[in-house]
DNA sequence: CGGGTCTTTGATTAGGTTCAATAAGAGTGG
DNA sequence: CCACTCTTATTGAACCTAATCAAAGACCCG
């Protein structure tokens, strides 16, 4: 339902390089072809001043069909990607072929950032639906930062946001039960859909149980069972890929099942110790006595 | 409780609050006080050209004692930190007080990056030993990037590196057994110590079992037991905080115990599907036919 | 319609957590 | 300097969550 606009008839594009197949004139019917800087910033949810409106440069779009690989691990890095429409997954593959889903980029998300450091992508990105992506060559990216100081900050900000997201992921994997993970996953999907202007209550999963499991550090069976359980309790209604959120609050509230005693104790201690040691430290701007 | 000599009423510098207590004269004996840009780059393992040698600006150092908090969650962000010496931990605390260790920064590591996005730190950093940190005010950071194009790239690179590290963390938490996690942890510590010029074979852990467990998504008991087990087998010798690596190779090789069939199958499938769909896609620079 | 993929559900097992008790250090104050 | 306390570490036993193994039903696409 979400990807209707991306539906493209029988256009055969078997061009090798992602950039190359753009040359084909027939592609131009589907999807957007160019975006202005302003449009790009809006997409990325960056607050811009009017100063950028005059920027002439246009950013090229590329279309990918379901299942196509946008980039692979080890491939030389030269561009970042921003999702204009569609759904993808990024996957890490360790030294012996074990896949791990790292994220599910969708509208407004940036990916490819992991390639900057080593000049090669360290993950692979695959389209889960037909996708329309904006190309953001890294050269352009840095040049823009230099040209517009406010943009530079925005770029660091976007990268920082990614980092925070990853940290949240680590927290989740490290501390939450299977149920809590699946619940959070559903909630965040719901929020994401809302942001994009779709229904936050009724939506279709674009990924398989297996992919969800990989993302959450669970097996596909556990994911399936947990969804069924939520269905039983009435938190959601689930039928294959279609999800209806029935009790968002319950899902949001669902915390670790295996919790409390030790964790709470430790938390208290740690704070006390830190405070004692840091006797004369930075006055915490907030949260000074939240250990009640 | 904060009533000690924290308040230095009249010293109004433009230094961040955390530096204030440094004004205390007794502190000035220990540690370096200022670093040049060149020194900073070396510390961060950034390859620089000579062009930077003339940069006059000096970066201030700050010392923290064991247990002191460098920054807390929610505190307004204004500076990044680079570890010159010492050991720290960064911790996330979720909505109900559960702590999760995110990293153990040590010499050459950058932290505080998570504050850029929301302009507030989203994690807290605590010194695990006496530390000497270089302050890198974010303003300076961006200004430097604008002044030296090569530095700008380096900065994106450092942030990208952090992101890759987090991704590796997610992979580990998502896919590895307790034994494998502890093994990898030891190996990476070993490597890290080697980089810093210490012994890679014999070292002391700077963190508690509990902190290791939190970092690895395990309980402190499991960490302790696993170390004991490694000790039994002869992979390491462990006595309290002191570790001796006896069979690095065994530790490095130790992969998931619960592996193979499903994962392998899935991996094959995924690749096949992707390749089929992407029939004529970007020619992978490497790994084109690694699925044998 | 048939083969392949994806999903659901059940039975069983095992890895890791939880609870509990002891020991070993580290710091403190009399 | 030693007793006392607090934190940290080790180890055991019972329990439980989630993984594994297995099988059948649902969906999709050619």
């Amino acid at each position: 339902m979400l990807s209707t606009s991306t539906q493209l008839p029988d256009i055969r594009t078997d061009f090798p390089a992602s950039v190359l197949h753009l040359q084909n004139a027939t592609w131009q019917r589907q999807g957007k072809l160019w975006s202005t800087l302003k449009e790009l910033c809006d997409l990325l949810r960056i607050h811009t001043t009017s100063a950028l409106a005059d920027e002439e440069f246009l950013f090229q779009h590329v279309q990918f069909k379901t299942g196509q690989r946008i980039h692979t691990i080890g491939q030389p890095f030269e561009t970042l990607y921003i999702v204009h429409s569609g759904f993808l997954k990024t996957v890490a593959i360790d030294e012996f072929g074990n896949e791990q889903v790292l994220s599910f980029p969708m509208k407004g998300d940036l990916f490819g950032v992991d390639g900057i450091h080593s000049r090669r992508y360290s993950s692979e990105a695959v389209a889960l639906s037909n996708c329309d992506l904006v190309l953001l060559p890294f050269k352009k990216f840095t040049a823009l930062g230099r040209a517009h100081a406010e943009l530079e900050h925005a770029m660091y900000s976007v990268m920082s946001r990614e980092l925070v997201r990853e940290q949240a992921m680590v927290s989740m994997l490290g501390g939450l039960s299977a149920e809590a993970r699946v619940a959070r996953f559903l909630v965040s999907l719901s929020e994401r859909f809302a942001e994009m202007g779709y229904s936050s209550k009724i939506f279709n999963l674009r990924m398989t149980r297996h992919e969800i499991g990989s993302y959450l550090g669970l097996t596909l069976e556990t994911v399936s069972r947990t969804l069924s359980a939520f269905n039983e309790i009435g938190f959601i209604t689930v039928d294959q890929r279609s999800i209806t959120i029935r009790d968002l609050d319950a899902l949001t509230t669902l915390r670790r099942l295996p919790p409390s005693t030790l964790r709470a104790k430790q938390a208290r201690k740690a704070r006390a110790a830190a405070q004692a040691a840091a006797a004369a430290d930075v006055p915490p701007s907030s949260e000074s006595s939240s250990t009640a």
Side-chain angles (χ1 to χ4, degrees), chain A residues 268-284:
Chain A
R268 258 187 289 109
K269 283 187 200 168
R271 298 297 187 68
Q275 278 190 346
D281 203 9
V282 185

Side-chain angles (χ1 to χ4, degrees), chain A residues 96-108:
Chain A
F96 207 68
N98 300 304
E99 295 198 2
Q100 168 81 31
V101 173
L102 295 173
S103 66
F104 293 114
M106 37 217 257
K107 185 177 179 182

Side-chain angles (χ1 to χ4, degrees), chain A residues 26-231:
Chain A
T26 63
W27 263 99
Q28 303 190 358
R29 291 190 283 118
Q30 74 212 9
K32 218 163 180 313
L33 271 188
W34 304 93
S35 280
T36 64
L37 178 57
K38 183 76 176 61
E39 289 169 326
L40 226 172
C41 288
D42 290 349
L43 197 53
L44 283 169
R45 290 154 289 178
I46 289 173
H47 332 285
T48 60
T49 65
S50 51
L52 299 179
D54 55 342
E55 177 65 61
E56 298 263 313
F57 190 77
L58 293 179
F59 297 88
Q60 188 172 29
H61 285 230
V62 200
Q63 280 76 33
F64 287 89
K65 287 187 291 186
T66 305
Q68 281 189 312
R69 222 188 295 111
I70 286 73
H71 60 71
T72 58
I73 297 173
Q75 177 184 335
F77 162 83
E78 71 270 281
T79 95
L80 299 169
Y81 299 87
I82 295 153
V83 184
H84 181 258
S85 72
F87 298 84
L88 306 93
K89 66 171 177 182
T90 66
V91 181
I93 304 181
D94 76 9
E95 42 278 44
F96 207 68
N98 300 304
E99 295 198 2
Q100 168 81 31
V101 173
L102 295 173
S103 66
F104 293 114
M106 37 217 257
K107 185 177 179 182
D109 286 335
L110 175 78
F111 67 91
V113 182
D114 57 66
I116 297 175
H117 175 58
S118 58
R119 293 224 145 281
R120 297 184 169 269
Y121 295 100
S122 70
S123 64
E124 116 177 3
V126 179
L128 296 180
S129 71
N130 291 344
C131 289
D132 184 36
L133 308 180
V134 184
L135 293 179
L136 178 49
F138 188 57
K139 289 244 161 84
K140 238 77 180 183
F141 176 83
T142 53
L144 277 172
R146 243 170 284 126
H148 307 275
E150 59 165 326
L151 264 191
E152 185 194 36
H153 183 275
M155 285 159 182
Y156 288 124
S157 180
V158 168
M159 289 182 67
S160 171
R161 188 211 289 163
E162 280 303 295
L163 209 87
V164 172
R165 204 189 60 78
E166 293 287 330
Q167 287 180 358
M169 204 60 216
V170 169
S171 276
M172 178 159 95
L173 292 177
L176 298 189
S177 68
E179 295 174 13
R181 292 185 209 181
V182 176
R184 282 177 93 103
F185 176 69
L186 291 173
V187 171
S188 67
L189 264 192
S190 169
E191 290 170 349
R192 209 68 185 69
F193 280 121
E195 281 174 30
M196 296 191 299
Y198 300 130
S199 167
S200 67
K201 297 299 172 193
I202 305 177
F203 50 83
N204 288 313
L205 299 173
R206 297 315 194 300
M207 60 296 280
T208 68
R209 300 287 189 267
H210 184 270
E211 285 161 341
I212 297 173
S214 173
Y215 179 64
L216 297 176
L218 302 170
T219 60
L220 74 173
E221 293 98 327
T222 299
V223 173
S224 176
R225 264 187 260 271
T226 305
L227 288 176
S228 296
F230 287 168
N231 186 67

